[in-house]
């Protein structure tokens, strides 16, 4: 019983540390830049440092993810990879993957991205002020400042670091505590929503986190949720912007409404291994529950 409680406590510590390192990182970086600016150029230096950060939000985001990325990836390695061995770990991470898995994943992510748009439209009606604040945050976040730094800050680092934390460390410690998959997945997805520190983002991040957790379980791999997370961030910026420019409103509406049944259908197809080689399907059926 004490061991189970200890694993729940470790999962909670990981989440608290995540909040401190990732969400507090921007404050520390801003203070550090201001201090450096003051030492170099006094009041003008502080203003220059502040303006530099505002003009390079993607760089700021990358810096925010570096320290927690190193901390949690090393934690995951020494806790769950080292004893197994890197080669065996990678083999286990890829043994249930197939071309059909990634094909379904692209379709699923595209559909979920538009399902989220429908969810956000509903939330906008119910909570207009919260939606307005969220829109202002997105507009000032650097999400549309496309560059190599944007790719790193949006498509690479968040999926790598956040999946290692939520679908990696937290899920593993909750499993060690003896919780069933549904409870484990619900807890980590709610924590993932809270992590975003924004009501609108938190709502859809919780739903997305639940799907990501299911995929990590379904394929016994962090690779699948990492890829989906990267695709979700990519589709939610570049693809959505292109659609808004190219497609008429009626087609956008049909796309959003049609995304709901597509999401459900693809999840069912992935669950039953449709399109997978027979050997993978047989191995999945033999997996301990």
């Amino acid at each position: 019983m004490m061991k189970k409680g200890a694993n729940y406590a470790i999962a909670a510590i990981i989440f608290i540390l995540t909040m401190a390192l990732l969400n507090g990182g921007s404050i520390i970086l801003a203070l550090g830049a201001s201090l450096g600016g003051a030492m170099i150029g006094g009041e003008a230096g502080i203003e220059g440092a502040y303006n530099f950060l505002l003009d390079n939000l993607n760089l700021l985001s990358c810096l925010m993810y570096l320290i927690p990325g190193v901390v949690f990836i090393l934690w995951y390695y020494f806790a769950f990879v080292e004893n197994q061995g890197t080669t065996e770990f990678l083999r286990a991470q890829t043994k249930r993957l197939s071309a059909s898995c990634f094909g379904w994943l692209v379709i699923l992510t595209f559909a979920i991205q538009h399902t989220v748009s429908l969810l956000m439209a509903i939330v906008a009606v119910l909570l207009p002020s919260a939606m307005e604040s969220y829109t202002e945050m997105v507009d000032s976040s650097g999400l549309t400042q496309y560059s190599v730094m944007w790719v790193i800050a949006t498509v690479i680092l968040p999926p790598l670091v956040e999946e290692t934390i939520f679908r990696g460390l937290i899920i593993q410690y909750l499993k060690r505590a003896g919780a069933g998959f549904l409870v484990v997945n619900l807890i980590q997805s709610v924590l993932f929503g809270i992590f975003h520190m924004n009501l609108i983002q938190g709502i859809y991040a919780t739903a997305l986190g639940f799907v990501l957790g299911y995929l990590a379980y379904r394929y016994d791999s962090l690779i699948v949720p990492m890829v989906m997370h990267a695709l979700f961030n990519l589709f939610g910026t570049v693809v959505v912007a292109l659609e808004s420019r190219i497609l008429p409103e009626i087609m956008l509406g049909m796309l959003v409404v049609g995304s709901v049944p597509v999401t459900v259908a693809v999840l069912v197809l992935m669950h039953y291994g449709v399109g997978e080689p027979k050997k993978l399907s047989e191995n999945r059926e033999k997996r301990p529950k």
Side-chain angles (χ1 to χ4, degrees), residues 16 24 39 67 73 79 86-87 148 155 186 191 193 211 217 234 236 238 254 259 261 268 282-283 288:
I16 293 169
M39 293 174 65
I67 292 178
I73 289 171
T86 304
T87 301
V148 173
V155 182
L186 185 60
L191 292 178
V211 174
Y217 167 79
L234 179 65
V238 177
M254 292 172 62
S259 66
V268 171
E282 290 174 351
N283 288 339

Side-chain angles (χ1 to χ4, degrees), residues 39 44 160 245:
M39 293 174 65
L160 177 63
R245 290 182 182 180

Side-chain angles (χ1 to χ4, degrees), residues 113-114 117 234-245 252:
Q113 183 65 65
H114 292 82
S117 297
L234 179 65
F235 290 174
T237 49
V238 177
V239 174
V240 168
L242 286 174
E243 288 177 350
S244 299
R245 290 182 182 180
L252 285 172

Side-chain angles (χ1 to χ4, degrees), residues 225-263:
M226 282 180 180
V227 171
M228 181 175 177
H229 196 151
L231 288 173
F232 184 85
N233 288 357
L234 179 65
F235 290 174
T237 49
V238 177
V239 174
V240 168
L242 286 174
E243 288 177 350
S244 299
R245 290 182 182 180
I246 297 172
L247 299 179
E249 287 190 13
I250 188 170
M251 288 190 66
L252 285 172
M254 292 172 62
L255 194 61
V256 168
V257 173
S259 66
V260 177
V262 172
T263 297

Side-chain angles (χ1 to χ4, degrees), residues 80-102:
F80 301 105
V81 179
E82 186 181 34
N83 290 338
Q84 186 178 2
T86 304
T87 301
E88 184 57 35
F89 173 78
L90 291 175
R91 184 180 294 116
Q93 288 284 303
T94 57
K95 69 180 180 179
R96 290 190 172 87
L97 306 186
S98 64
S100 66
C101 161
F102 292 103

Side-chain angles (χ1 to χ4, degrees), residues 111-127:
I112 284 182
Q113 183 65 65
H114 292 82
T115 300
V116 165
S117 297
L118 179 60
L119 176 62
M120 291 175 70
I122 295 171
V123 173
V125 173
L126 299 175
L127 303 168

Side-chain angles (χ1 to χ4, degrees), residues 147-169:
S147 63
V148 173
M149 192 62 67
W150 174 86
V151 174
I152 299 171
T154 304
V155 182
I156 296 177
L157 284 179
L160 177 63
V161 177
E162 292 173 17
E163 294 310 310
T164 298
I165 295 168
F166 290 94
R167 266 61 69 179
L169 286 167

Side-chain angles (χ1 to χ4, degrees), residues 3-169:
K3 188 175 180 180
K4 288 184 177 181
N7 283 299
Y8 278 118
I10 293 172
I13 290 169
I14 290 169
F15 177 69
I16 293 169
L17 191 57
T18 298
M19 297 294 286
L21 290 176
L22 275 171
N23 287 313
S26 59
I27 299 173
I28 295 171
L29 287 168
L31 289 174
S34 297
L35 180 61
M39 293 174 65
I40 295 171
E43 187 175 339
I46 295 175
E47 185 177 352
Y50 178 75
N51 290 332
F52 177 80
L53 290 178
L54 286 181
D55 292 336
N56 295 273
L57 291 174
N58 287 316
L59 174 61
L60 176 62
S61 180
C62 287
L63 293 174
M64 285 170 56
Y65 274 94
L66 281 180
I67 292 178
V70 171
V71 169
F72 291 118
I73 289 171
L74 286 176
W75 187 333
Y76 187 83
Y77 175 79
F78 287 115
F80 301 105
V81 179
E82 186 181 34
N83 290 338
Q84 186 178 2
T86 304
T87 301
E88 184 57 35
F89 173 78
L90 291 175
R91 184 180 294 116
Q93 288 284 303
T94 57
K95 69 180 180 179
R96 290 190 172 87
L97 306 186
S98 64
S100 66
C101 161
F102 292 103
W104 290 128
L105 200 63
V106 172
I107 299 171
L108 176 64
T109 309
F110 184 80
I112 284 182
Q113 183 65 65
H114 292 82
T115 300
V116 165
S117 297
L118 179 60
L119 176 62
M120 291 175 70
I122 295 171
V123 173
V125 173
L126 299 175
L127 303 168
S129 59
M131 191 66 194
E132 185 178 349
S133 298
Y134 170 74
T135 302
E136 290 175 357
M137 182 198 72
V138 170
D139 290 341
S140 62
S141 65
L143 283 174
T144 56
Q145 297 175 3
Y146 302 125
S147 63
V148 173
M149 192 62 67
W150 174 86
V151 174
I152 299 171
T154 304
V155 182
I156 296 177
L157 284 179
L160 177 63
V161 177
E162 292 173 17
E163 294 310 310
T164 298
I165 295 168
F166 290 94
R167 266 61 69 179
L169 286 167

